[in-house]
Amino acid sequence: MYAYDEIDRTFLNERVSEFRDQVQRRLAGELTEDEFKSLRLMNGVYLQLHAYMFRVAIPYGTLSSRQLRRMAHVARKYDRGYGHFTTRQNIQYNWIKLAELPDAMEDLAEVGIHAIQTSGNCVRNVTTDQWAGVVPDEVEDPRVWAEVLRQYTTLHPEFSFLPRKFKIAITASDHDRAAIKVHDIGLRILRNDKGELGFEVLVGGGLGRTPFIGKIIKPFVHARDIISYVEAVLRVYNQYGRRDNIYKARIKILVHELGAEAFARDVETEWAQIRDSALLIDDAMVDDIRSRFSYPAYEKLSDTPDELKKADDPRFQAWLQNSVAPHKEPGYAIVTLSLKPVGGPPGDATAEQMDAIADLSDRYSFGELRVGHEQNLALPNVAKRDLPALWRALDKIGVATPNVNLVTDIIACPGLDYCSLANARSIPIAQELTRRFADHDLASMIGRLHVNISGCINACGHHHVGHIGILGVEKNGEEVYQITIGGRADEKAELGVLIGPAVKYAEVADVIEDIVEAYLALRARPDELFVDTVKRLGVEPFKERVYATR
Ligand code: HEM
Ligand code: SF4
């Protein structure tokens, strides 16, 4: 966990009273909705199809049980009893009333939670690996650097009015769980030949209507220079980013238009001027931030406890295989809690579930929780001997579906059910697919397969990087869906390829079943992943299968 200091606490409280005043002026009619817009957007408040939506940050995806309990309280008291975990380590409340928003913010601020820079054209919540600090293979805890960047970018005056929003993600493991290649800046922590800590820097990744995979513009930036280097990138973007056209305003377009090499040269020129300034990072500052992250007092435990040897319930075994991952400490494990039950909207958790999960994290995970970009939660510090008892408790509250990374672990945006920009529904498609593939043996036989659904070209559901991507578009007043295959969001990130003409709403689930059946017939071995089969064979055989009868 990270402990905020007095400066952070004062800042959050001031922010709440400032927003309270702005809301009162809006309610009294002193501010028009248009005037209010830029003020609310600085506080994570959007206007959706049916109500205001409130997006709250979960910095680097780490939460305490107390914070989760408070999120449950906000869901219960000010919303409709549930919250929605998003793909960028945020939680969204979909039904919040404007008059009550300042109270909700105040309740969250008491536990150090806020919504600053979760919307607007600024640097958004810096995201990272949800398993940071507990995974065996990381170079160092990336949350330290996410926090360095959070402190530096929050309310930075020069970067409060960027041409467009700006998203940074950091990973410190070979396996990228933070999707750094589809972020405006992606940072990979590594050590150089001399053993010094630094970052590989990627720029210009992003999805939306013009998707790009980020390009490496600097293979190694020393850790002490990371603020000045990121500032140089932001300055070049701030100066040359397209402010005249919202669709061309993201940094990915600038990098594409200039070319990554020319963009990198501009950054070098800018960097040369600021590198040896006050932006040079002092080791003491990083050490202070490091010291604010606390780690549990792990016990020395057996890695193969009797409790596990005795647990032979096949449902438990299926969950153990699927949802439990290795921990850096022997005798401990990382447990993913699936928020993708059969027939449920992906990423939703009720207030009761949040409360129960908070209690379980106190009991079994040193009071700590994680939120990942796949819209699932995790308990990062579970003693292996406790796994059977924990599983029974998680199963009771409906978050032990053993489908992590399987075909029903779907990422979906709110789509037409909530979003004012949507062309088509996403959630009902996800629900239907979870029913079609509800059989666990079938889903595990299919293996790792990520389905991503967006209700419009803005790509909140990351459909371009889904192994199977589903994009809702509107054609002559009807919802139709374009299907892509072969995308991925990890260290080998790629954009999916369209398989053919769009299909109707009612046909989508059948088409996905056809694609999966084609894969099962085409894969070279049972352990050849769907994405690898597509990579080997291309889209043609899948296309043939889908359109042969349509
Ligand atoms: C319902 C309210 C929402 C609205 C109005 C909304 C709107 C947008 C818009 C306009 C963009 C494109 C911006 C651009 O390309 O410059 C975008 C991108 C994005 N949204 Fe949303 N969104 C909403 C909800 C969500 C939710 C619930 C999630 C997560 C589940 C989400 C995740 C994202 C992500 C990750 C991107 C970045 C895609 C990229 O450019 O790489 N959004 N959103
Ligand atoms: S992808 Fe489109 S429909 Fe889905 S949440 Fe984003 S803006 Fe709304």
Side-chain angles (χ1 to χ4, degrees):
M1 292 303 305
Y2 182 77
Y4 275 171
D5 62 15
E6 207 39 52
I7 298 175
D8 293 302
R9 281 190 287 274
T10 311
F11 170 53
L12 290 197
N13 291 337
E14 284 174 0
R15 192 61 182 238
V16 172
S17 44
E18 182 187 71
F19 189 62
R20 193 179 287 286
D21 177 62
Q22 290 161 354
V23 167
Q24 267 155 14
R25 286 191 283 148
R26 170 72 192 113
L27 291 171
E30 290 165 29
L31 294 174
T32 62
E33 185 55 42
D34 218 36
E35 288 164 333
F36 181 58
K37 186 174 172 188
S38 64
L39 303 174
R40 68 171 161 78
L41 282 180
M42 286 181 212
N43 294 285
V45 182
Y46 284 77
L47 189 56
Q48 285 196 132
L49 210 51
H50 311 291
Y52 284 101
M53 179 271 274
F54 182 34
R55 180 183 293 158
V56 176
I58 300 166
Y60 22 86
T62 299
L63 275 180
S64 68
S65 54
R66 182 165 178 243
Q67 289 172 325
L68 184 63
R69 241 175 241 120
R70 195 55 68 91
M71 288 178 164
H73 155 83
V74 167
R76 191 178 288 121
K77 182 160 181 197
Y78 305 105
D79 207 273
R80 296 194 179 170
Y82 72 97
H84 180 73
F85 290 93
T86 79
T87 51
R88 289 204 79 258
Q89 299 180 321
N90 298 310
I91 183 171
Q92 290 184 182
Y93 297 102
N94 284 316
W95 301 98
I96 213 103
K97 289 187 203 70
L98 188 57
E100 294 178 350
L101 246 170
D103 290 342
M105 268 183 195
E106 191 171 332
D107 292 354
L108 291 170
E110 268 175 25
V111 295
I113 294 276
H114 61 83
I116 297 161
Q117 297 193 187
T118 58
S119 49
N121 295 337
C122 55
V123 178
R124 302 285 185 88
N125 189 26
V126 178
T127 55
T128 188
D129 188 345
Q130 71 267 27
W131 292 353
V134 290
V135 76
D137 71 337
E138 72 190 6
V139 180
E140 96 146 341
D141 190 336
R143 293 174 302 171
V144 170
W145 297 95
E147 178 60 22
V148 168
L149 289 171
R150 181 193 73 80
Q151 293 190 9
Y152 152 70
T153 54
T154 299
L155 299 200
H156 191 310
E158 199 177 333
F159 307 128
S160 294
F161 299 98
L162 291 167
R164 201 75 177 85
K165 60 179 164 181
F166 203 87
K167 300 177 179 180
I168 304 178
I170 309 179
T171 184
S173 297
D174 288 341
H175 178 50
D176 173 13
R177 278 172 293 268
I180 66 163
K181 291 193 173 178
V182 289
H183 277 76
D184 297 291
I185 292 182
L187 299 174
R188 189 164 71 84
I189 300 181
L190 71 168
R191 287 192 186 275
N192 65 9
D193 297 344
K194 291 187 218 147
E196 294 164 326
L197 194 72
F199 296 83
E200 177 184 66
V201 181
L202 288 86
V203 169
L207 303 172
R209 76 180 56 225
T210 335
F212 286 109
I213 299 297
K215 297 172 190 69
I216 299 172
I217 58 159
K218 189 93 176 158
F220 188 81
V221 173
H222 197 288
R224 65 173 170 260
D225 293 322
I226 195 61
I227 289 187
S228 60
Y229 194 82
V230 166
E231 168 137 354
V233 171
L234 279 162
R235 280 189 172 189
V236 171
Y237 173 50
N238 218 359
Q239 189 167 5
Y240 301 116
R242 293 278 301 268
R243 289 173 190 274
D244 60 319
N245 182 339
I246 191 175
Y247 301 119
K248 299 200 166 171
R250 297 286 293 269
I251 195 172
K252 61 190 173 185
I253 306 290
L254 179 65
V255 173
H256 177 68
E257 284 181 355
L258 281 179
E261 279 168 24
F263 180 84
R265 276 198 300 276
D266 284 351
V267 172
E268 275 316 299
T269 311
E270 194 66 38
W271 190 38
Q273 296 174 39
I274 55 175
R275 188 177 170 172
D276 298 316
S277 65
L279 297 177
L280 197 65
I281 299 178
D282 175 8
D283 284 345
M285 185 272 273
V286 181
D287 285 344
D288 179 52
I289 289 180
R290 269 196 199 103
S291 73
R292 290 178 168 278
F293 281 96
S294 56
Y295 297 88
Y298 296 110
E299 290 173 67
K300 287 247 162 305
L301 297 177
S302 157
D303 212 34
T304 46
D306 288 345
E307 289 84 347
L308 266 195
K309 287 182 214 145
K310 279 187 272 168
D312 53 5
D313 183 330
R315 289 181 61 235
F316 170 74
Q317 288 299 335
W319 174 81
L320 186 67
Q321 291 297 316
N322 175 267
S323 306
V324 178
H327 196 282
K328 65 176 185 186
E329 292 292 326
Y332 285 87
I334 306 168
V335 172
T336 299
L337 278 49
S338 168
L339 296 183
K340 319 287 177 70
V342 173
D348 278 7
T350 64
E352 289 67 34
Q353 283 174 323
M354 287 189 245
D355 276 339
I357 293 167
D359 291 349
L360 290 171
S361 88
D362 280 339
R363 189 149 172 209
Y364 295 116
S365 186
F366 298 91
E368 199 180 312
L369 291 126
R370 301 299 177 85
V371 182
H373 89 89
E374 300 88 356
Q375 303 185 281
N376 287 322
L377 303 180
L379 293 177
N381 294 305
V382 180
K384 285 188 170 176
R385 59 157 188 239
D386 293 335
L387 286 168
L390 174 64
W391 169 71
R392 280 190 294 276
L394 294 175
D395 190 36
K396 241 184 227 159
I397 57 169
V399 293
T401 314
N403 63 349
V404 177
N405 284 320
L406 300 183
V407 58
T408 50
D409 187 3
I410 298 169
I411 293 180
C413 80
L416 209 52
D417 291 84
Y418 299 101
C419 177
S420 52
L421 304 176
N423 289 324
R425 286 168 285 177
S426 348
I427 293 173
I429 291 200
Q431 289 169 309
E432 174 59 17
L433 287 174
T434 61
R435 287 186 208 103
R436 299 262 180 131
F437 292 98
D439 178 37
H440 175 68
D441 292 338
L442 171 66
S444 20
M445 197 259 287
I446 296 166
R448 182 181 265 263
L449 176 45
H450 297 165
V451 177
N452 293 50
I453 313 174
S454 303
C456 83
I457 196 68
N458 286 314
C460 301
H462 293 189
H463 62 276
H464 301 104
V465 287
H467 299 175
I468 298 179
I470 303 175
L471 164 66
V473 291
E474 192 234 276
K475 206 172 156 194
N476 306 327
E478 194 190 356
E479 294 163 280
V480 293
Y481 294 82
Q482 293 177 350
I483 315 284
T484 50
I485 58 173
R488 58 196 293 173
D490 56 7
E491 62 285 356
K492 294 183 190 159
E494 270 194 57
L495 301 173
V497 180
L498 199 61
I499 61 161
V503 299
K504 291 184 175 157
Y505 175 79
E507 287 176 328
V508 176
D510 291 343
V511 168
I512 305 305
E513 278 191 335
D514 286 354
I515 291 173
V516 171
E517 275 169 24
Y519 155 66
L520 291 176
L522 291 164
R523 69 183 176 186
R525 302 171 312 275
D527 64 350
E528 185 180 55
L529 298 184
F530 176 82
V531 262
D532 294 332
T533 306
V534 177
K535 184 92 188 156
R536 185 168 55 83
L537 297 174
V539 297
E540 269 321 303
F542 295 90
K543 183 176 180 170
E544 270 166 34
R545 171 65 189 256
V546 168
Y547 295 100
T549 53
R550 289 191 173 82

